[in-house]
Amino acid sequence: MYNEGEQAITLELIMAIKGDSFRMFILENMETKIELYEAYDLKTLERKIEEQIEINKALLLDVHHIQHQVTFDPNRNKMLYTAVVHFKGKGKAN
């Protein structure tokens, strides 16, 4: 599945056995992940990001970089707040 030199950990877990068949899930160590968020108020945007940070901690991902922007949405006559959050695997440099 992986070329030599790639740093990836594959764990195979048998999650359930039923009769003659079984289910197997393969979990891979994610090295990087980028998520996009938007909201019409800053508090909602911050809450969305904080919730995902907690979820991604379970996947062993830490925040590497956050970029945010605000723009006017003429269709709703409101400010639109957006953010890009770059998560990296724990212990990964750069």
Side-chain angles (χ1 to χ4, degrees):
M1 181 185 295
Y2 298 102
N3 296 330
E4 273 188 21
E6 282 186 331
Q7 293 186 358
I9 299 170
T10 303
L11 301 174
E12 296 181 6
L13 301 174
I14 298 173
M15 300 302 292
I17 298 175
K18 290 187 176 183
D20 294 332
S21 64
F22 65 90
R23 293 182 212 158
M24 183 171 51
F25 296 91
I26 299 174
L27 304 175
E28 295 178 4
N29 184 9
M30 224 182 285
E31 291 184 20
T32 189
K33 181 179 181 183
I34 296 174
E35 296 183 352
L36 310 170
Y37 306 93
E38 66 178 21
Y40 284 98
D41 64 90
L42 194 54
K43 287 197 182 283
T44 302
L45 183 67
E46 289 174 345
R47 181 183 45 77
K48 287 179 178 182
I49 293 170
E50 288 296 325
E51 288 172 357
Q52 279 306 121
I53 288 172
E54 292 304 313
I55 290 169
N56 285 322
K57 280 182 182 178
L59 299 174
L60 300 177
L61 296 171
D62 287 329
V63 174
H64 176 67
H65 181 77
I66 297 179
Q67 181 178 340
H68 57 88
Q69 179 177 326
V70 63
T71 188
F72 181 73
D73 182 352
N75 296 328
R76 291 203 175 179
N77 203 28
K78 291 182 176 183
M79 300 305 284
L80 177 63
Y81 299 88
T82 61
V84 176
V85 182
H86 182 187
F87 294 92
K88 280 205 170 194
K90 291 187 178 188
K92 300 289 180 201
N94 294 344

